[in-house]
Amino acid sequence: MSDTLLIALYAFAGAAVTGLAGAGVLRLIRRRSLTVSLAVVAAVGVVAMLAGTLAVAWAMFLSPHDLSVVTTVVAMAAAVSLATALLLGRWVVARSRELADAARSFAEGRFAAPLAPATAELEAVSRELAATSARLAESRERERTLERSRRELVAWISHDLRTPLAGLRAMAEALEDGVAADPHRYLRQMRTEVERLNGMVGDLFELSRIHAGTLPLTPSRISLYDLVGDALAGADPLAHEHGVRLTGTGVEPVPVEVDAKEMSRVLGNLLVNAIRRTPADGTVTVAAERSPEGVVLSVTDGCGGIPETDLPRVFDTGWRGTHARTPPAGAGLGLAIVRGIVEAHQGRATVRNIPGGCRFEVVLPAAPS
C-alpha cells in the first residue's frame, strides 16, 4: 500500500510541475492565436503524463525496459494529440474569422450568419449578432419613419401657421386703416384665430414632452363612467354644430388609475376627430368595458373607413386623412398625442375599420382591487 502511495505522489509531483509550467506558457501567449493555445493544452496533457512516468522511473519503480515502452507510447500519444489540437485550433479560428467578417456587415445595417457549422458557443454568438442586427434594422426604420414624420410635420405646421397669421395681419391692417365694415366681427374672428394658434402651440408643447419622456402624470383612482360623461359633455357643442349625435352605450363604472386631465385629453381628441369626420346625422358612440387585457375605451364614428394602407400611420405625428388637409383640421397632432399619453399610462391605442366607419380603442391596465 505504501508503494502505491509513493507512486501516486511522484506521478502527481511530476505532473504538477508540468501543469504549472503550462499555465505560465498559456499566460504568456494569451494574446496569441487559439490554435497555439490548444496545442499547448494538448502538449501539457501528454508531457504531464511523461513527467509523472519519469518521476516514478527515477524513484526506481520502473525497469529500463518498462520506461522505454511507456516513453514510446507517450510519444505516439503526443504526436496524435498535437496534430488533433492543431486541426481543431485551425478549424475554430477559421470559424471565428468567418464570424468576424460577417459582423463587419453591421456597418451596412445587415448581418449574414456564416453557413459553415461552428461550435455551440460560436453559434450562440452568431444568433445574438443576428438578433442585434434585426433590432438595429428596426431601430433605423423607426428613426427614418420619425424623421419623415418630422419633415411632414414641419411642412404642415408651417402651412397651418402661415394661413391664420396672414388672416390676422390682414384684419389688423383693416382695423388700423379704419376700413373694416364690422370691427366687432373682425375682433371676434381674430380671437378665434388666436385661440386656434394657441391650441396648435399647446399641442406641439405636449407632443415634445411626450417624445422627451417628461410628460408629468398624477394618477388617481377614477371611474370610467365619470371620465366618459365629462368628455361627452365637453364635445357636445361641437357635435351639435356638425349635426352629429353623441351616445355613450355600455359604459361600465370601472375604476382606473390614470391622470384624469391627460386621459380627458385623450377622449377629447378622439371625440373631436370622430365628430369632424362623421357626416351630418351620423352617430359617434363611446363605450367602456372590462376585458381580459384590462379596460377598453372605444370611440366609433361614421367616417366611412380609413384606407388599409393608411391604418398603420393613423397615430403618426403629422398624419392627416386626405380630406382633412384644410382648416380647422389642425396639424395632425391629436392622435399622436393620444398614443403618447396612452403609452405613458402603460396602455396602447389601436384603430380598425368597421362597417360604415372606424373604431378607435384605448386599452388601459385595470386598477388594482
Side-chain angles (χ1 to χ4, degrees):
M1 188 65 182
S2 60
D3 289 345
T4 303
L5 181 59
L6 285 174
I7 290 173
L9 290 174
Y10 278 110
F12 175 77
V17 172
T18 305
L20 290 174
V25 173
L26 287 174
R27 180 176 178 80
L28 292 174
I29 64 170
R30 61 184 180 276
R31 299 184 183 277
R32 301 291 297 275
S33 171
L34 180 62
T35 304
V36 178
S37 298
L38 287 174
V40 171
V41 171
V44 166
V46 175
V47 174
M49 183 187 300
L50 180 59
T53 303
L54 292 175
V56 171
W58 176 78
M60 304 299 291
F61 288 102
L62 284 180
S63 65
H65 177 268
D66 293 341
L67 178 61
S68 175
V69 171
V70 171
T71 303
T72 302
V73 172
V74 170
M76 295 301 101
V80 174
S81 298
L82 287 174
T84 303
L86 290 172
L87 290 174
L88 175 62
R90 289 175 62 86
W91 180 79
V92 172
V93 168
R95 300 291 82 77
S96 300
R97 287 174 178 169
E98 291 175 359
L99 187 59
D101 292 338
R104 294 190 184 96
S105 63
F106 263 42
E108 288 79 32
R110 55 183 175 79
F111 174 77
L115 299 177
T119 64
E121 291 78 9
L122 292 179
E123 286 287 350
V125 172
S126 181
R127 287 194 299 270
E128 288 297 326
L129 289 174
T132 302
S133 177
R135 289 194 293 269
L136 286 173
E138 293 174 0
S139 177
R140 291 189 183 96
E141 183 59 31
R142 285 196 300 270
E143 185 178 350
R144 283 192 290 267
T145 301
L146 286 174
E147 183 60 30
R148 184 168 59 250
S149 297
R150 290 190 189 100
R151 287 196 298 268
E152 293 175 353
L153 176 62
V154 169
W156 292 339
I157 285 290
S158 300
H159 174 270
D160 289 347
L161 286 176
R162 188 180 296 115
T163 301
L165 287 174
L168 286 170
R169 179 177 180 179
M171 287 184 285
E173 290 176 349
L175 289 171
E176 184 178 19
D177 296 338
V179 298
D182 187 353
H184 292 292
R185 183 176 66 83
Y186 273 54
L187 290 172
R188 287 195 301 271
Q189 183 63 29
M190 291 175 69
R191 181 180 179 84
T192 300
E193 294 297 336
V194 169
E195 289 177 350
R196 181 181 165 213
L197 288 172
N198 184 65
M200 292 174 62
V201 172
D203 286 346
L204 284 171
F205 180 65
E206 182 85 353
L207 194 63
S208 67
R209 291 196 299 178
I210 290 172
H211 286 170
T214 59
L215 180 66
L217 295 178
T218 308
S220 61
R221 195 178 184 88
I222 186 174
S223 171
L224 281 182
Y225 187 85
D226 296 334
L227 193 65
V228 172
D230 293 343
L232 290 174
D236 187 66
L238 181 64
H240 182 73
E241 178 185 342
H242 285 74
V244 174
R245 292 182 298 275
L246 278 181
T247 62
T249 59
V251 180
E252 301 179 11
V254 183
V256 288
E257 290 276 353
V258 296
D259 186 305
K261 178 183 176 182
E262 296 297 340
M263 199 51 60
S264 295
R265 182 164 193 164
V266 166
L267 274 176
N269 285 0
L270 290 176
L271 285 171
V272 168
N273 179 74
I275 292 169
R276 285 177 173 169
R277 285 159 179 75
T278 299
D281 292 331
T283 301
V284 172
T285 304
V286 183
E289 58 187 359
R290 296 180 185 269
S291 78
E293 298 176 319
V295 178
V296 179
L297 275 168
S298 64
V299 176
T300 305
D301 60 35
C303 67
I306 300 172
E308 293 294 330
T309 54
D310 285 344
L311 280 177
R313 297 194 58 206
V314 167
F315 292 100
D316 287 354
T317 302
W319 182 87
R320 293 184 290 188
T322 54
H323 62 287
R325 298 299 177 95
T326 57
L333 305 181
L335 294 179
I337 291 173
V338 166
R339 181 175 63 179
I341 294 175
V342 171
E343 290 180 351
H345 283 85
Q346 308 304 314
R348 73 174 190 278
T350 60
V351 60
R352 57 186 172 88
N353 285 324
I354 61 172
C358 57
R359 178 184 174 96
F360 287 83
E361 290 186 349
V362 171
V363 182
L364 297 170
S369 302

